[in-house]
C-alpha cells in the first residue's frame, strides 16, 4: 500500500510533545490517540499499558526514555506525533526530534509550572525555530494555578503568551474550560464511554472572568499582529475566524505562543488541544525550504517542499529492533522515495539501498511502498546510516545541516563476566551506541576495560539495564566517574623537535608554537602563522593533526583539552629526512611542552540543579547542597512548596536522589542539567590526579 496522499501537504502536521519529566506528555499523547480513533482503549503510565512507552524499561520506571513516533487523523488532517522524554539525561531524544519536526506542543504541570527541563526544551525549540503552543496540564491537581503558570512562561521563558482557553476552577473544583475564541465552555471532554465533548453556555459565575480574559487575548494578539491591531483600533468586532487566522500567523512567525489548559488524565481539554494543533501549528508547506550544500561544488542548494523535487531527507533516529533488525527513522523534506530505491548518504559519501518502508505506531509497524514529502518514516536495509546523516537522490547530492549533541559528562567501566559474554557485549554496546549519539564507548588500553560514557547516572543505568535484559549480557559495572577536562590559564611558547637517525633515512620534524587560552570556548583552534615557507604546508597540516591528537588524549593529566588556541609560527625541515609522521610527532611534543608552561588546570562539569521541597525540609536540603560544594542561586516559593535553584559540581551529585528522598521522607524532588565547565579547586584537582595515576 502507498502512504495516503489524500492528505495534501497543507493537511499534514508533524508535531512533538515536549516537556519536563512528569508534566504529562505521554498521558496527553495517549488521550490524543484515543480521541482520534488510533487506539480503542486509553493507556495509563501508572498501569504500565501505554502505547508510546512500550519499552520494558519505560514501563518499569514509569518514564519516557526514547522518543516514539505515531500517526493519527483529526478533522481530515494527518498528525504525525513524536512523544519525547522529559528527563534531562535523554535530552538527545528531544534534540533530534525537534530537528525534524515542524511544530511543538509544550506541556506544563499546572502546579509546578515552568521547571528546569522545561527551560531546556524551550531553548532547543528556539534554536531550531520551532513554532509551538502550550498546554497547562493537571489543572485538577491541588495547588494548580493557571495564572501563575502564565506568569512563569513570561518571566522564565521570555515568551509572549496568549491564553486562548481558561480553566473553570482548579484543583478539586476544576470543572472544565472556557474557549475564549468561540465564547463557549466545555464541562467535560468525555470519558471512555462518552467520548463526545459536552459543550455548555459559559456559567454566570465565570462571565466576568471570561470577558476580562477575552479582552486581554485580543489586546495581546493586536500587539503581535498588524491586521488585528488595525481592526482593534477601528473598533471592529472580531470574528472567531479572524482570531484563529491571526493566531496562526503569529504562531508560525514565533511572535506569540497560544496557551491552552486542561487535565489529560481526566480527559478535559484534549479535543480543544487537537483543534489548536490543526489551527495554529505549521504544515510542511508553512516551513521554509530546507537549505543544504552541494558536496561537489560547496554551493548552497534549496530543497523545495514538493513531491516532484529531488529526494532529500535527514535520518534522526536508529533503533535495533530484535524482530526486524536495524530501523532508521528519517524525515522526508523534499521529493518522494520508493521501497527498494537506491539513495546516496551524502554525509558518508556512500550508496545505500532503502529496504522496506514502515509507518511506525510506537513499536508497531505498517508497511508502505512509498514515502512523500513531509513524511516521518522508518526503513530497513540502511546499514551505514546514522543519526544526523543526509539521504538524497544520487543524481542531486545535497548535504543538510547535521544535528549537534552535547558531550557526555559521566562514565563508568564495564567488563564481561565470562569470555563468552565478550563478543555479546561488544555487539550490544555497538548497537546501543548506534541508537544513542550521546552514548560513547571507548577502550582503555592501560586498564583493559571498556569505558561507557553518557549524560547522567540514569542514562547509564538505563543503558546497562537494557544490555543485561535485552541483549542478555552478564557484566560487571564500575562506579560512575566524572568526565573532567583540561585547559590552560596563561599564554606560552614551546617547540617540538623530533629527530631520529638509524642507518638509512632518518626522521626529522621541528615546529615552534604559541598557545593561549580561548575564553568561553570548548574548541581547540590551530592556525598556520608560518611566514616565508620555513615549513611546507603539508608538514604544517601534519603538525596540526599531531597537536589535535595530543589535545584529545590530554597533555596535562590525561583528560581531553578544551579552550586553547594554538599558533604554529616557525620550524624547520630536512629535504630527505622530513615526513608527515615526523611532523605529527613534533606537533604532539610541542603541545605537551607548551601546556606544561601555560599553567594548566583541570575543569569539572557544573550542573544546574532545581530542588522542589516542602518548606520544613528546606534548611536540611540547603545544608546538604552546601556540603556538596553547591552554590545556591535563588530560593522561591511555589504554592505550598519551595524551589531551590543551585549550581553543584557533577562529582558531588552521585547518589543525590537517594539522599534527598531520605532527607525529605520522599516528598522532595530534584532535576538537573549540565551548565558549564569550571576550574576544579587545586586541592581536589590534586586528589583527582593522584587517583587517576593509581587507576592507571
Amino acid at each position: 500500500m502507498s502512504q495516503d496522499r489524500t492528505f495534501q501537504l497543507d493537511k499534514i502536521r508533524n508535531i512533538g510533545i515536549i516537556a519536563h519529566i512528569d508534566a504529562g506528555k505521554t498521558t496527553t499523547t495517549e488521550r490524543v490517540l484515543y480521541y482520534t480513533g488510533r487506539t480503542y482503549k486509553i493507556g495509563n503510565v501508572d498501569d504500565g499499558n501505554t502505547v508510546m512507552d512500550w519499552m520494558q524499561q519505560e514501563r518499569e520506571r514509569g518514564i519516557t526514555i526514547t522518543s516514539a513516533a505515531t500517526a493519527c487523523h483529526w478533522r481530515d488532517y494527518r498528525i504525525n506525533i513524536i512523544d519525547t522524554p522529559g528527563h534531562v539525561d535523554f535530552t538527545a531524544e528531544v534534540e533530534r526530534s525537534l530537528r525534524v519536526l515542524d511544530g511543538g506542543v509544550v506541556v506544563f504541570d499546572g502546579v509546578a509550572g515552568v521547571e528546569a527541563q522545561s527551560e531546556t526544551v524551550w531553548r532547543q525549540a528556539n534554536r531550531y525555530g520551532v513554532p509551538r503552543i502550550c498546554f497547562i496540564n493537571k489543572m485538577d491537581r491541588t495547588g494548580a494555578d493557571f495564572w501563575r503558570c502564565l506568569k512563569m512562561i513570561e518571566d522564565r521563558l521570555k515568551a509572549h503568551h496568549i491564553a486562548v482557553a481558561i480553566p473553570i476552577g482548579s484543583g478539586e473544583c476544576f470543572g472544565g474550560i472556557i474557549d475564549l475564541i468561540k465564547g463557549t465552555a466545555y464541562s467535560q471532554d468525555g470519558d471512555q464511554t462518552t467520548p463526545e465533548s459536552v459543550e455548555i453556555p459559559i456559567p454566570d459565575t465565570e462571565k466576568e472572568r471570561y470577558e476580562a480574559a477575552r479582552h486581554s487575548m485580543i489586546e495581546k494578539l493586536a500587539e503581535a499582529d498588524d491586521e488585528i491591531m488595525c481592526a482593534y483600533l477601528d473598533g471592529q468586532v472580531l470574528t472567531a475566524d479572524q482570531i484563529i487566522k491571526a493566531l496562526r500567523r503569529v504562531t508560525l512567525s514565533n511572535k506569540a505562543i497560544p496557551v491552552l489548559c486542561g487535565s489529560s488524565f481526566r480527559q478535559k481539554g484534549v479535543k480543544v488541544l487537537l483543534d489548536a494543533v490543526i489551527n495554529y501549528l505549521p504544515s510542511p508547506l508553512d516551513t521554509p525550504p530546507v537549505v543544504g550544500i552541494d558536496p561537489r561544488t560547496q554551493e548552497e542548494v534549496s530543497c523545495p517542499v514538493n513531491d516532484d523535487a529531488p529526494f532529500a531527507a535527514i535520518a534522526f533516529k536508529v533503533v535495533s529492533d530484535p524482530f526486524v533488525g536495524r530501523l532508521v527513522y528519517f524525515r522526508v523534506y523534499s521529493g518522494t522515495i520508493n521501497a527498494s530505491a537506491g539513495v546516496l548518504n551524502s554525509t558518508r559519501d556512500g550508496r545505500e539501498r532503502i529496504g522496506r518502508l514502515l509507518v511506525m505506531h510506537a513499536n508497531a509497524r505498517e508497511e508502505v511502498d512509498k514515502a512523500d514529502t513531509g513524511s516521518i518514516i522508518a526503513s530497513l536495509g540502511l546499514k551505514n546510516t546514522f543519526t544526523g546523516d543526509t539521504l538524497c537522490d544520487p543524481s542531486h547530492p545535497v548535504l543538510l545541516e547535521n544535528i549537534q549533541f552535547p558531550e557526555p559528562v559521566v562514565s563508568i567501566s564495564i567488563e564481561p563476566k565470562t569470555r563468552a559474554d565478550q563478543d555479546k557485549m561488544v555487539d550490544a554496546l555497538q548497537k546501543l551506541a548506534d541508537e544513542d549519539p550521546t552514548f560513547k564507548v571507548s577502550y582503555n588500553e592501560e586498564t583493559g576495560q571498556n569505558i561507557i560514557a553518557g549524560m547522567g547516572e540514569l542514562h547509564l543505568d538505563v543503558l546497562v539495564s537494557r544490555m543485561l535484559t535485552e541483549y542478555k549480557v552478564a557484566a560487571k559495572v564500575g562506579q560512575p566517574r566524572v568526565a573532567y577536562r583540561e585547559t590552560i590559564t596563561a599564554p606560552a611558547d614551546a617547540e617540538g623537535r623530533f629527530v631520529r637517525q638509524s642507518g638509512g633515512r632518518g626522521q626529522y620534524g621541528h615546529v615552534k608554537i604559541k598557545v593561549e587560552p580561548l575564553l568561553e570556548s570548548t574548541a581547540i583552534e590551530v592556525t598556520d602563522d608560518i611566514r616565508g615557507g620555513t615549513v611546507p604546508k603539508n608538514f604544517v597540516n601534519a603538525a596540526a593533526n599531531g597537536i589535535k591528537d595530543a589535545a584529545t588524549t590530554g597533555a596535562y593529566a590525561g583528560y581531553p583539552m578544551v579552550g586553547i588556541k594554538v599558533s604554529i609560527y616557525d620550524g624547520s625541515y630536512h629535504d630527505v629526512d622530513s615526513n608527515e609522521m615526523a611532523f605529527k610527532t613534533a606537533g604532539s611534543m610541542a603541545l605537551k611542552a607548551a601546556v606544561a608552561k601555560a599553567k594548566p588546570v583541570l575543569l569539572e562539569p557544573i550542573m544546574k540543579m532545581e530542588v522542589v521541597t516542602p518548606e520544613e525540609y528546606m534548611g536540611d536540603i540547603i545544608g546538604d547542597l552546601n556540603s556538596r560544594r553547591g552554590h545556591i542561586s535563588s530560593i522561591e516559593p511555589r504554592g505550598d512548596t519551595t524551589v531551590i535553584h543551585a549550581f553543584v559540581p557533577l562529582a558531588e551529585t552521585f547518589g543525590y536522589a537517594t539522599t534527598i528522598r531520605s532527607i525529605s521522607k520522599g516528598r522532595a524532588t530534584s532535576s538537573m542539567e549540565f551548565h558549564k565547565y569550571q576550574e576544579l579547586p587545586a586541592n581536589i584537582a590534586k586528589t583527582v590526579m593522584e587517583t587517576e595515576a593509581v587507576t592507571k
Side-chain angles (χ1 to χ4, degrees):
M1 101 183 217
S2 171
Q3 193 160 20
D4 193 351
R5 214 11 158 190
T6 56
F7 290 93
Q8 298 302 317
L9 282 169
D10 63 338
K11 289 188 176 290
I12 292 175
R13 301 288 182 271
N14 290 319
I15 67 163
I17 312 285
I18 54 179
H20 185 91
I21 192 169
D22 283 340
K25 297 177 303 303
T26 301
T27 302
T28 301
T29 309
E30 293 294 324
R31 272 43 177 190
V32 165
L33 295 178
Y34 177 71
Y35 282 125
T36 56
R38 195 68 175 84
T39 58
Y40 65 91
K41 181 184 176 185
I42 297 178
N44 284 322
V45 173
D46 293 340
D47 297 337
N49 61 358
T50 57
V51 172
M52 302 305 275
D53 285 352
W54 55 271
M55 285 174 58
Q56 180 185 344
Q57 289 286 321
E58 293 177 315
R59 292 186 169 181
E60 286 176 358
R61 297 169 188 263
I63 60 172
T64 303
I65 291 169
T66 181
S67 53
T70 189
C72 56
H73 302 111
W74 183 253
R75 276 175 39 193
D76 298 327
Y77 287 75
R78 179 188 178 92
I79 307 175
N80 296 318
I81 302 174
I82 295 183
D83 176 33
T84 65
H87 199 286
V88 70
D89 281 18
F90 308 107
T91 188
E93 293 287 337
V94 184
E95 189 82 34
R96 58 183 169 189
S97 299
L98 286 171
R99 173 65 178 83
V100 299
L101 292 171
D102 299 326
V105 176
V106 187
V107 181
F108 297 99
D109 183 321
V111 178
V114 177
E115 299 173 88
Q117 181 64 359
S118 307
E119 294 184 64
T120 303
V121 298
W122 196 270
R123 284 197 303 271
Q124 290 171 315
N126 282 343
R127 184 160 63 250
Y128 292 114
V130 176
R132 68 216 84 144
I133 58 177
C134 295
F135 181 67
I136 298 175
N137 190 24
K138 301 190 179 184
M139 288 305 304
D140 58 323
R141 278 188 62 199
T142 302
D145 189 332
F146 177 76
W147 308 104
R148 178 166 52 81
C149 289
L150 285 182
K151 186 77 168 60
M152 292 177 78
I153 290 171
E154 183 178 335
D155 294 344
R156 295 183 65 171
L157 303 179
K158 304 294 185 280
H160 183 68
H161 60 75
I162 301 177
V164 296
I166 60 172
I168 300 174
S170 63
E172 292 180 0
C173 300
F174 178 59
I177 62 170
I178 297 173
D179 186 330
L180 298 179
I181 300 171
K182 294 181 180 176
T184 57
Y186 299 91
S187 66
Q188 173 169 318
D189 262 335
D191 55 30
Q192 294 190 34
T193 55
T194 58
E196 295 304 317
S197 300
V198 179
E199 189 175 311
I200 61 168
I202 296 171
D204 292 341
T205 54
E206 300 291 330
K207 283 185 177 175
E208 191 174 325
R209 276 199 322 124
Y210 159 70
E211 292 292 346
R214 180 179 166 87
H215 182 71
S216 174
M217 174 188 73
I218 292 172
E219 274 193 340
K220 288 189 167 223
L221 189 54
E223 288 174 23
D225 186 80
D226 292 342
E227 199 172 306
I228 295 296
M229 174 65 83
C230 293
Y232 179 69
L233 293 175
D234 288 346
Q236 293 180 24
V237 177
L238 296 171
T239 65
D241 190 52
Q242 281 178 295
I243 294 171
I244 289 170
K245 286 179 178 176
L247 281 166
R248 182 174 182 80
R249 287 195 296 271
V250 299
T251 305
L252 296 185
S253 60
N254 275 316
K255 290 180 179 176
I257 313 287
V259 182
L260 302 98
C261 61
S263 167
S264 297
F265 186 72
R266 304 285 179 201
Q267 287 90 253
K268 294 182 180 179
V270 178
K271 288 194 172 183
V272 178
L273 174 63
L274 274 167
D275 286 340
V277 167
I278 301 303
N279 290 339
Y280 311 134
L281 291 182
S283 73
L285 286 174
D286 295 313
T287 58
V290 174
V291 175
I293 59 168
D294 186 325
R296 300 167 302 185
T297 63
Q298 301 303 305
E299 291 179 357
E300 205 170 81
V301 177
S302 178
C303 302
V305 184
N306 192 320
D307 284 352
D308 298 325
F311 171 70
I314 278 191
F316 68 95
K317 184 177 173 69
V318 177
V319 175
S320 296
D321 190 292
F323 301 106
V324 298
R326 191 173 188 270
L327 274 172
V328 176
Y329 289 69
F330 57 90
R331 157 73 190 266
V332 182
Y333 283 101
S334 190
T336 61
I337 190 69
N338 296 315
S340 303
V343 295
L344 172 69
N345 181 331
S346 55
T347 306
R348 301 179 191 278
D349 193 23
R351 294 292 186 104
E352 290 267 52
R353 183 161 295 280
I354 298 282
R356 293 156 59 198
L357 288 173
L358 305 168
V359 175
M360 301 302 294
H361 178 48
N363 62 330
R365 298 168 291 275
E366 176 189 342
E367 189 166 349
V368 296
D369 54 29
K370 181 181 178 183
D372 308 285
T373 301
S375 298
I376 291 177
I377 201 91
S379 173
L380 292 165
L382 297 168
K383 295 183 174 62
N384 197 37
T385 296
F386 298 89
T387 299
D389 288 1
T390 300
L391 299 173
C392 59
D393 184 334
S395 58
H396 296 85
V398 63
L399 186 59
L400 303 179
E401 183 188 1
N402 207 331
I403 308 170
Q404 301 299 317
F405 296 105
E407 286 296 310
V409 292
V410 181
S411 65
I412 56 175
S413 61
I414 188 164
E415 301 173 77
K417 282 189 175 178
T418 67
R419 188 176 292 275
D421 286 308
Q422 175 67 45
D423 291 342
K424 285 165 64 178
M425 189 176 83
V426 170
D427 181 56
L429 290 176
Q430 182 59 54
K431 286 179 178 175
L432 291 171
D434 280 358
E435 291 185 16
D436 189 343
T438 57
F439 176 59
K440 305 292 185 187
V441 183
S442 59
Y443 182 73
N444 188 319
E445 300 264 353
E446 294 171 328
T447 62
Q449 293 175 314
N450 287 293
I451 306 296
I452 58 175
M455 299 306 298
E457 278 187 282
L458 178 62
H459 186 202
L460 291 179
D461 185 32
V462 166
L463 289 165
V464 169
S465 297
R466 286 188 61 196
M467 193 175 70
L468 301 177
T469 55
E470 289 180 32
Y471 296 98
K472 306 292 188 289
V473 178
K476 293 182 286 186
V477 181
Q479 293 298 311
R481 298 175 64 194
V482 177
Y484 294 104
R485 295 288 185 267
E486 302 175 14
T487 193
I488 58 173
T489 56
D493 283 35
E495 65 178 321
R497 184 188 294 272
F498 181 67
V499 182
R500 291 285 185 276
Q501 198 67 46
S502 54
R505 176 179 288 191
Q507 300 275 331
Y508 185 91
H510 175 220
V511 290
K512 294 182 180 181
I513 67 170
K514 293 177 184 175
V515 296
E516 56 186 290
L518 269 180
L519 299 176
E520 302 299 323
S521 173
T522 58
I524 299 291
E525 288 185 12
V526 183
T527 60
D528 175 5
D529 292 334
I530 285 181
R531 299 289 177 266
T534 54
V535 180
K537 189 77 174 175
N538 60 318
F539 292 158
V540 175
N541 292 339
N545 290 334
I547 289 167
K548 289 175 181 175
D549 285 352
T552 303
T553 54
Y556 171 50
Y559 296 103
M561 305 203 75
V562 295
I564 300 178
K565 181 179 180 181
V566 184
S567 167
I568 305 173
Y569 70 89
D570 201 2
S572 60
Y573 73 102
H574 190 280
D575 288 334
V576 177
D577 291 346
S578 287
N579 57 48
E580 291 186 2
M581 185 54 69
F583 270 90
K584 186 174 182 181
T585 306
S588 175
M589 293 167 66
L591 181 72
K592 289 176 180 177
V595 166
K597 300 178 185 177
K599 298 181 182 176
V601 293
L602 278 185
L603 303 175
E604 65 175 340
I606 303 295
M607 309 303 284
K608 181 181 178 183
M609 182 178 283
E610 182 178 280
V611 182
V612 182
T613 175
E615 193 172 346
E616 60 260 40
Y617 305 113
M618 184 175 72
D620 290 340
I621 286 174
I622 289 175
D624 180 68
L625 289 172
N626 286 332
S627 73
R628 295 170 183 269
R629 297 192 286 128
H631 167 68
I632 309 298
S633 60
S634 67
I635 300 171
E636 62 179 78
R638 184 184 290 171
D640 56 356
T641 61
T642 300
V643 183
I644 303 166
H645 298 277
F647 297 102
V648 186
L650 175 65
E652 307 290 344
T653 65
F654 296 139
Y656 185 69
T658 304
T659 302
I660 195 175
R661 275 198 298 268
S662 174
I663 292 174
S664 67
K665 298 181 174 62
R667 294 176 63 194
T669 59
S670 68
S671 60
M672 61 181 176
E673 62 175 318
F674 173 73
H675 177 55
K676 66 175 183 178
Y677 273 96
Q678 184 174 293
E679 185 175 340
L680 192 62
N683 61 321
I684 299 174
K686 183 181 177 185
T687 305
V688 168
M689 291 176 68
E690 288 171 354
T691 305
E692 187 71 18
V694 170
T695 305
K696 290 182 177 180

